[in-house]
Structure formats: structure tokens, C-alpha cells
């Protein structure tokens, strides 16, 4: 019994020494983990700082790009509200009639259906200059009518103020700007729109002489199907960029091409460059 007790004591001493070594190893591992945690926390902070610095650089480049090369502005029109004009001419008109006229003014028949548009007739959005604008309600029927007229009319187009020219130019510039923004923001666009610079020439028969880009909107006259398809792709790309930069969804409209782009590159967009 005494010898057995001695053997048990020796084994217990071995277990105690082994437990001490394990405790030292455990403390060493804990110290190592704390060092790694501090290092990860520091790296995370440095990474966050670099992201913020990169976002500020992107934001600076975008604001410089849209203020110098591609300024997007809201152009006021002189059109008056027909409800106001009618109420002035007829003092006996009821308030319900005035409200109905105002509601009718905010409604547009587009692509076979009625679309509510609060900006209809009030303003238009310009790009690169006040002379290149797009309709607020997304109604590009002027381009379709011009293409149909060109098919039946022979000879050069001498009308410098043709709205189809400005529509084509504005969409061409918008495509170029969207592709440039996708490179700056490092965001892949869901739809592909060709926009490569080629030989210098006049893109459209008007007073605007620009560098021509091999764009789907610049060059040959597009059919209604091809034109509508290209516009939908451009609008999808713009909305994708707006979503990536957390633009307020209440401001966006799927048909407002340049207005959505204006909200995207606005200095008030807090997350621009993220």
C-alpha cells in the first residue's frame, strides 16, 4: 500500500508539472491572441481610413469631372401652370377644376400608358451646357418622329434646333459620363453600352461640333426598338450606380435619365465615392 501510494504521488506530481506547462502555454497563446487582436484592430482602422481617403479622392474627381467637363444642371422653362392661367381668366372656376387641371398637367401619356410626372413642363435637365437637354418625363418621341421623317425625306437635315439632335447628344454624353463614373467608382455596370472615342467628326447636324464617340446614340439613326433598348440599358446603369452610392430612393425615377444622374453626382450625396 505504501509503494502504491508513492507511485500515485509521483504520478500526481507529473500531472501537476504538466498542468503548469499547459497553463504557461495557454497564457502564451492568450498573449499572442491579444497581440493579433490589437494588430487586426489597427489594420482595420487603417483600412477604414484608406477607404475614407479613397472615397474622398473619388468624390473630388467626380465633382471636378461634373463641374468642368460634364456639368448637369436644372434648366427652368417659362411655361406656366395651365391651372393658374385658367383660374386667372375665369374667376368662377371651382377649386376642384383647378386641381384636376394641375393633376392632368402632371400626367404624361408615354409608351401606351399614363405616367405621373411631377416635373413635367416645369424644368429640364441639361448636360455639358444649357442647350443640350432631355425631357424630364422620358418622352423621346421627338427622336422617333425625326427618324421616321428622315426615311421619307431626301436631302440633308438643315434644322439646327431639331430636338432629336439634342436628345441624341445628351444621351451620348450621359453614356460617356456613366462609363467614366463606373471606372472612378470601381463599380461594374449591369448593361454594356459602347462608348469608344474614334475619329474626329460631327456627331449630329447641328451647331454643336464635338468629339465623336462610337456610341449607340451617336452616328446612325436608330430604329425605335434599338433606341428604346439602348435608353433602357442606360437608365439601368444609372440606377445601378445610384444604388451603389446609396442615393435616396425617393428621389429616383426609372425614366428620369439626367435627373437621376444629377442626384448621383450632387455634392449633397453623402455616400458618393463609397
Amino acid at each position: 500500500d505504501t509503494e502504491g501510494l508513492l507511485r500515485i504521488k509521483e504520478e500526481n506530481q507529473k500531472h501537476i508539472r504538466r498542468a503548469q506547462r499547459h497553463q504557461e502555454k495557454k497564457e502564451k497563446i492568450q498573449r499572442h491572441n491579444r497581440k493579433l487582436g490589437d494588430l487586426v484592430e489597427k489594420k482595420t482602422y487603417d483600412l477604414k481610413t484608406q477607404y475614407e481617403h479613397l472615397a474622398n479622392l473619388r468624390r473630388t474627381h467626380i465633382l471636378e469631372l461634373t463641374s468642368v467637363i460634364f456639368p448637369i444642371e436644372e434648366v427652368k422653362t417659362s411655361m406656366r401652370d395651365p391651372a393658374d392661367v385658367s383660374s386667372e381668366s375665369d374667376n368662377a372656376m371651382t377649386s376642384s377644376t383647378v386641381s384636376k387641371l394641375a393633376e392632368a398637367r402632371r400626367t404624361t401619356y408615354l409608351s401606351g400608358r399614363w405616367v405621373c410626372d411631377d416635373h413635367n413642363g416645369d424644368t429640364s435637365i441639361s448636360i455639358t451646357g444649357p442647350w443640350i437637354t432631355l425631357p424630364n418625363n422620358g418622352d423621346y418621341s421627338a427622336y422617333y418622329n425625326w427618324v421616321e421623317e428622315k426615311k421619307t425625306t431626301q436631302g440633308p437635315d438643315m434644322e439646327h434646333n431639331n430636338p432629336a439632335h439634342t436628345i441624341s447628344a445628351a444621351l451620348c454624353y450621359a453614356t460617356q459620363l456613366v462609363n467614366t463614373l463606373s471606372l472612378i467608382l470601381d463599380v461594374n455596370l449591369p448593361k454594356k453600352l459602347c462608348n469608344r472615342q474614334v475619329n474626329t467628326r460631327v456627331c449630329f447636324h447641328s451647331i454643336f461640333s464635338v468629339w465623336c464617340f462610337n456610341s449607340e446614340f451617336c452616328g446612325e439613326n436608330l430604329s425605335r426598338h434599338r433606341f428604346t433598348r439602348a435608353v433602357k440599358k442606360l437608365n439601368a446603369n444609372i440606377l445601378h450606380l445610384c444604388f451603389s452610392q446609396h442615393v435616396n430612393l425617393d428621389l429616383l425615377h426609372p425614366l428620369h435619365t439626367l435627373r437621376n444622374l444629377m442626384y448621383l453626382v450632387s455634392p449633397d450625396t453623402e455616400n458618393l465615392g463609397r
Side-chain angles (χ1 to χ4, degrees):
D1 293 339
T2 303
E3 293 177 355
L5 180 62
L6 291 175
R7 287 196 301 270
I8 293 174
K9 288 183 178 180
E10 291 178 357
E11 291 178 359
N12 288 340
Q13 291 296 327
K14 291 180 180 179
H15 291 319
I16 292 174
R17 289 192 295 269
R18 183 180 298 176
Q20 291 177 349
R21 291 195 300 269
H22 288 169
Q23 182 65 26
E24 293 174 356
K25 186 180 294 185
K26 175 184 175 182
E27 294 175 355
K28 183 178 179 181
I29 293 175
Q30 289 177 344
R31 289 194 300 269
H32 181 68
N33 289 339
R34 284 195 296 268
K35 290 182 180 179
L36 288 180
D38 295 339
L39 181 62
V40 169
E41 185 177 356
K42 182 179 181 300
K43 293 293 184 181
T44 303
Y45 176 78
D46 293 341
L47 181 62
K48 182 179 179 181
T49 304
Q50 291 297 326
Y51 275 145
E52 293 176 354
H53 178 64
L54 180 60
N56 291 331
L57 285 178
R58 289 171 172 170
R59 182 185 183 89
T60 302
H61 290 325
I62 291 174
L63 295 180
E64 183 178 1
L65 177 69
T66 54
S67 63
V68 179
I69 302 178
F70 294 101
I72 302 178
E73 298 176 346
E74 192 171 13
V75 180
K76 297 289 183 180
T77 60
S78 58
M79 183 180 298
R80 299 185 63 189
D81 195 323
D84 297 337
V85 177
S86 301
S87 61
E88 291 176 1
S89 61
D90 188 2
N91 295 328
M93 182 177 292
T94 62
S95 59
S96 61
T97 306
V98 175
S99 62
K100 289 179 180 179
L101 285 174
E103 182 181 358
R105 178 177 170 271
R106 293 191 296 269
T107 308
T108 303
Y109 188 75
L110 179 62
S111 299
R113 62 189 181 93
W114 291 98
V115 178
C116 182
D117 182 14
D118 292 336
H119 305 286
N120 184 20
D122 293 335
T123 60
S124 58
I125 307 299
S126 66
I127 183 171
T128 70
W131 52 86
I132 302 181
T133 61
L134 282 181
N136 277 307
N137 55 8
D139 182 10
Y140 304 138
S141 57
Y143 185 88
Y144 314 144
N145 299 334
W146 175 69
V147 172
E148 293 297 329
E149 184 180 353
K150 288 290 291 182
K151 292 180 180 179
T152 58
T153 305
Q154 301 296 329
D157 186 5
M158 303 303 294
E159 186 179 353
H160 296 304
N161 295 326
N162 192 328
H165 298 154
T166 58
I167 290 176
S168 176
L171 293 175
C172 183
Y173 283 133
T175 303
Q176 183 184 357
L177 176 59
V178 167
N179 290 342
T180 305
L181 291 177
S182 68
L183 295 177
I184 297 177
L185 296 173
D186 194 23
V187 175
N188 293 326
L189 298 176
K191 305 295 182 180
K192 183 178 180 181
L193 277 176
C194 179
N195 195 78
R196 299 188 306 271
Q197 184 175 352
V198 292
N199 295 332
T200 307
R201 60 176 179 173
V202 177
C203 284
F204 41 94
H205 305 288
S206 67
I207 58 175
F208 317 120
S209 178
V210 299
W211 285 87
C212 181
F213 290 81
N214 185 13
S215 171
E216 295 192 35
F217 299 107
C218 198
E220 63 175 319
N221 300 331
L222 300 178
S223 64
R224 178 164 184 165
H225 173 73
R226 289 183 58 191
F227 183 83
T228 304
R229 182 172 178 268
V231 170
K232 288 181 179 179
K233 291 166 65 176
L234 175 60
N235 287 334
N237 288 341
I238 293 175
L239 290 175
H240 182 75
L241 289 177
C242 291
F243 298 154
S244 70
Q245 302 306 302
H246 292 178
V247 178
N248 187 1
L249 299 181
D250 296 333
L251 301 176
L252 302 178
H253 191 286
L255 299 179
H256 296 174
T257 306
L258 289 185
R259 185 174 291 276
N260 293 340
L261 202 54
M262 181 181 67
Y263 289 138
L264 171 64
V265 299
S266 172
D268 297 332
T269 304
E270 298 180 356
N271 297 294
L272 181 61
R274 64 179 294 278

